[in-house]
Every structure is written in structure tokens, then in C-alpha cells.
Amino acid sequence: GKEWPSKFSGLEIFKEIHYDSSLDSIYALQYSFDSEVLAVGFASGAIHLYNSRTGEMVSELRKPRYGGMQIMCLRFHPKEHHILLATTSDGKILACNTKDGTVNEVASEKGNEINCLDFSCEGFEFATGGKDLAVRIYNAKTYQLLHTFEGYSKKSVSSDDREHCPVSQRIWCLKFHPDNPDIFMTGGWDNQIKIWDIRSEADPVRRSISGPHICGDAIDVQWSEKKGYVEILTGSWCAKDGLQIWKYSEPEKGAKSVPFQSSKGAYLYTAKFCDNDVVMAGGSGTNSVEAINSETGELIGEVKMQKPIQALDTCRGGRLFAVGGGEFNLILGGLIS
């Protein structure tokens, strides 16, 4: 019954979970839709579920698989909330049932490393991207492959034509538009955010945003009630102007840079929108996650680690967040008024 605060003044850490090094680094974090459960994907191939507040482990969905098969991305199914999709570094898509604990391989992309997956806003399709440069669209109910958009070689296309071409280097992040199920964005090593429309199979890339060098889950998209338009948040693996906000409808006007407090450079792997004009981002420049007011530049709070931050997720507008990386430590916290 209490109203949510209109301003965040800081953050609190309410649980640190030190886990065995055999699980290896954390590559993926995802809260359930009811915010009660946090899914964690490890470099060893393990998938664990934790209570999002107490940090108690709820389930070991998948045990470690030594010799590769890192869990690269996790997403809960928007239509069937007990289904968690996981992608692996050897091109597999796994459907994990959080009710009965079963894990089944539902699709395989031979020779690919699937770095990212996201569902459309209506939940009828999902898309994947990764090492082989292709973007694939799947039916979210049957897991049938609906369409493949192949990548391209820079050598075969002139620089003037590249704005509307598919990707030319590894894809690290893919996010659907919050209101349009046919529009999604990708980012990776080619220093461009590509905006796609899956209704046009012959010419799917509508436009590009030049600049962001994406190396992780570092694109977020939201409708801003305050501003009245859709915004894109990007976190780049670079020293200067790594954290930026773009107007979706007019990206050619450039980005607003959000100051990330680091004398060594930001070098971001992950970035998220939160409520009250706050964004959170982290990477290897500071080995920390910073919560920053994007309007004033004020540093709201920081979560420090000794090794690079590789995964971040938030829910309830940032009132819950989880941070993980290479330190064998999972941190749970929340933004506070």
C-alpha cells in the first residue's frame, strides 16, 4: 500500500553468496517475472535458482559440465513463467522447467556460440544471436526455427551500404522493442546497434546507430513515461563515453553520455535501466557496478568486486538487483530511497 519513492538516494547489499570455484564465473543472471527467483548461469555449464531476497539456493537445475558449454544467456518465458531458456557456448538452447527440475535441449545451432536471446513483447517469438553473425527467429511455443538472417563480410559490401546490412562481427546482445513484437536491436563487435524489422525478410535492417562497442548484455530498451518516447541504453567496452542513452526514433541526433566514475575507463559488459532516471552498469574498468542518475550524473551507489563484472540483472525498477562476474561471488541488493 505504500507509494514507491520518486528518488533513489543509495543502494544496499543484503546478501553475498560465496560459491565453489568449480562453478567458475557467472555469465548470466535473470529474475523471474514475479521477482521471487533469481536464475544464475555459470561458465561451468551449471544453472542454479536462488531466492532473490534471502539468497538461499532453491534448485540446482543443471550440474557443471567440465570442458566448456558455458551458459551465455538466460531468459524466462513470458507465456510460461516456469520455463527458463538458456543458451550455451556450443550452440544449444535449453528449456529448464522450474517446477519439475527437468532440462531439455529444444534447439541447436551447429557451429555457433549463442551469446544472447530475447523474447518479443507478446511472447510468441524469440530471437538469438552469437558467433556466426546470424540472427535466428524461433516460434516460442514449438521452438521451430522460423527464419535466419545471415551476416555479411565487410569485404563484400562498400562502407556506404553498411547501414542497412546485417551484422559483420560477433553479436553479444539482442533486445526486442518494449511495445512492437516485430522490432528488435542487436549489438556486438562491429560498433553498430542494428535495428531490425522481422516483417521484411529481404531487407530487415531498418537503420543503424554507429558507435557502441557491445561485448555483453549491454543494451536495454524502455518506454520513458517522463519523456514520452522509447530510449535505448548502451554500455560499450571502451574507455570514454561508454554509457550512453539514445532516442529510438532519432538516433542520428546522437547520444547523451552518462558519466561512469572511472579514471581507468569504463569498459562495460552490462547495463540496465532502473526507475527514477537511474541506470546501472558494470564491467572491467572498475570491476564494479555503478548506479547513476542519468539526468544529474549523481553516483547513487557502487558495488565493488576484485574481478570484472560480467552479469547484472534488476527487477522492480532496481529495487532488487544481482551482480556476478569472475570473483566466485554473487551479490544481491537493491536501490533505496
Side-chain angles (χ1 to χ4, degrees), residues 115-117 128-131 133-135 166-176 184-196 207-221 232-237 269:
N115 298 324
C116 48
L117 178 152
T128 64
K131 182 179 179 180
L133 314 185
V135 172
V167 295
S168 61
Q169 294 192 47
R170 188 177 305 212
I171 302 169
W172 280 102
C173 192
L174 186 154
K175 291 292 170 65
F176 269 90
F184 64 89
M185 286 135 257
T186 61
W189 285 351
D190 60 1
N191 300 327
Q192 289 189 328
I193 304 298
K194 300 285 186 178
I195 299 176
W196 304 67
R207 59 185 185 273
S208 298
I209 301 173
S210 297
H213 185 71
I214 305 298
C215 295
D217 187 14
I219 303 173
D220 203 6
V221 191
I232 303 171
L233 176 68
T234 59
S236 294
W237 199 84
Y269 284 125

Side-chain angles (χ1 to χ4, degrees), residues 122-329:
E122 293 181 347
F124 295 119
E125 294 89 20
F126 65 85
T128 64
K131 182 179 179 180
D132 70 357
L133 314 185
V135 172
R136 294 173 175 85
I137 311 297
Y138 290 87
N139 182 297
K141 184 175 182 179
T142 65
Y143 304 114
Q144 177 186 2
L145 178 62
L146 301 177
H147 191 78
T148 300
F149 299 109
E150 300 289 350
Y152 81 100
S153 169
K154 284 186 176 181
K155 296 179 180 178
S156 63
V157 180
S158 68
S159 58
D160 294 336
D161 296 329
R162 289 175 189 168
E163 181 180 356
H164 293 283
C165 285
V167 295
S168 61
Q169 294 192 47
R170 188 177 305 212
I171 302 169
W172 280 102
C173 192
L174 186 154
K175 291 292 170 65
F176 269 90
H177 191 283
D179 300 312
N180 191 326
D182 298 312
I183 303 295
F184 64 89
M185 286 135 257
T186 61
W189 285 351
D190 60 1
N191 300 327
Q192 289 189 328
I193 304 298
K194 300 285 186 178
I195 299 176
W196 304 67
D197 188 332
I198 62 177
R199 293 167 293 190
S200 177
E201 294 185 2
D203 186 23
V205 178
R206 300 289 85 198
R207 59 185 185 273
S208 298
I209 301 173
S210 297
H213 185 71
I214 305 298
C215 295
D217 187 14
I219 303 173
D220 203 6
V221 191
Q222 73 167 7
W223 165 262
S224 172
E225 191 74 33
K226 179 179 178 181
K227 298 175 182 177
Y229 56 77
V230 173
E231 297 178 300
I232 303 171
L233 176 68
T234 59
S236 294
W237 199 84
C238 63
K240 187 178 179 182
D241 295 328
L243 191 58
Q244 297 177 305
I245 297 176
W246 309 75
K247 187 176 180 180
Y248 168 79
S249 60
E250 297 177 312
E252 68 277 359
K253 291 188 175 180
K256 175 182 179 178
S257 291
V258 180
F260 194 86
Q261 313 295 321
S262 174
S263 60
K264 299 179 180 179
Y267 297 104
L268 301 175
Y269 284 125
T270 182
K272 299 288 182 184
F273 278 118
C274 298
D275 284 349
N276 304 336
D277 299 318
V278 172
V279 297
M280 296 187 73
S284 60
T286 59
N287 295 338
S288 70
V289 163
E290 294 183 5
I292 308 164
N293 186 304
S294 62
E295 292 296 311
T296 65
E298 177 190 2
L299 179 64
I300 304 299
E302 185 177 19
V303 178
K304 291 183 176 292
M305 283 190 165
Q306 299 300 312
K307 293 185 179 180
I309 305 298
Q310 295 163 176
L312 163 71
D313 195 28
T314 67
C315 68
R316 301 180 69 235
R319 292 163 184 84
L320 290 176
F321 66 75
V323 178
E327 197 177 315
F328 313 139
N329 190 21

